[in-house]
Amino acid sequence: MNIRQKTYSHGKCMTPSNQQPRFLDHSRNQQLKKQAVEVKANASQPQEQHVDPKRDFIICCKACQQIITKDEFSIAVDGNNEHIQCNPYGFTFIFRCFNQVWHCMEVGDAQSAHSWFPGFDWTLILCESCTTHLGWVFNNHDGMRFWGLISDRLSTHSQSS
């Protein structure tokens, strides 16, 4: 696992090449397509993130506002901290990776099939408070673990430190 800062990943969709991916929220279809084009255009330009050290950004479940993690726990996985991926059913997800979360519960058994990160098994995670699907936890056999949280199911709030 390579850890370094970069902005986006361009994952290949696991649908047949002649089939367009289905988006979870059809009203966001155009927005996500536009963002994917912008990501491709900006991929060659490294972007630095400037965070005010006097601010502490918390990330909550958008549905119930339960605290899930902090922005400071965002990590780069395979060189990127945000990824765009499609599942085998054609649903597209934009998610960020974190090394620490709270108030999330794992649901079901770990799966290795269709993992977006080779060598890592995945398990669904839900918000403990409202049971909204927030993303996945990824584990490998060496004990490495990280969480992929779906961006549009989160809200970010700043608090003075």
Side-chain angles (χ1 to χ4, degrees), residues 25-78:
D25 181 354
H26 296 289
S27 66
R28 292 197 62 217
N29 191 357
Q30 292 298 357
Q31 179 186 359
L32 290 174
K33 284 182 181 180
K34 181 181 176 186
Q35 186 175 3
V37 169
E38 290 171 357
V39 167
K40 288 179 183 179
N42 295 328
S44 62
Q45 302 171 1
Q47 298 176 359
E48 293 183 28
Q49 295 180 351
H50 300 284
V51 178
D52 181 355
K54 296 179 182 175
R55 293 285 206 192
D56 186 24
F57 296 93
I58 59 170
I59 298 172
C60 301
C61 172
K62 189 182 262 185
C64 70
Q65 297 305 306
Q66 175 66 266
I67 295 174
I68 301 300
T69 189
K70 291 184 176 184
D71 195 54
E72 68 186 84
F73 298 122
S74 177
I75 61 167
V77 176
D78 289 341

Side-chain angles (χ1 to χ4, degrees), residues 143-155:
M144 296 178 80
R145 180 179 186 128
F146 67 93
W147 288 262
L149 300 179
I150 302 168
S151 297
D152 66 358
R153 300 195 186 162
L154 305 171
S155 60

